[in-house]
Amino acid sequence: MRRKLTSAVEILDHLYNDGPQYQADLEREKSRVRAACAIYDARTAAGLTQAQLAERVGTTQSAIARLEDADYEGHTLRMLDR
């Protein structure tokens, strides 16, 4: 009897056999998560809301929300530099 796959990582590993493209995609996703977490952590450590940070860097609250969203793919270095 086969063991039941229980986590998303196990399922993806099973589907993609841990191939080179899978590894590249996984590293890209990890980078997105790290960037989003770093922005969120820095903002909350400074005691700022998304709206307050947005005002300080000259953007909108929704732009900050997108930066803190690891699934958003439209990040630019220019925005991250702000």
Side-chain angles (χ1 to χ4, degrees):
M1 183 174 180
R2 290 180 99 175
R3 184 175 81 80
K4 185 176 178 181
L5 300 175
T6 58
S7 75
V9 172
E10 286 179 338
I11 293 167
L12 290 172
D13 284 345
H14 176 74
L15 289 173
Y16 297 105
N17 291 326
D18 217 11
Q21 186 59 47
Y22 171 70
Q23 287 301 317
D25 291 344
L26 182 60
E27 287 306 313
R28 188 171 33 259
E29 290 305 314
K30 285 180 181 179
S31 293
R32 287 184 187 153
V33 169
R34 282 191 296 267
C37 288
I39 293 165
Y40 172 83
D41 290 345
R43 178 181 63 77
T44 57
L48 298 172
T49 65
Q50 288 180 343
Q52 290 168 326
L53 177 59
E55 186 176 328
R56 288 185 182 198
V57 298
T59 191
T60 62
Q61 177 275 326
S62 62
I64 300 301
R66 287 190 302 272
L67 288 173
E68 293 180 358
D69 179 1
D71 292 332
Y72 181 70
E73 297 183 13
H75 301 302
T76 65
L77 290 178
R78 185 170 159 232
M79 175 56 78
L80 292 174
D81 283 343
R82 286 186 188 174

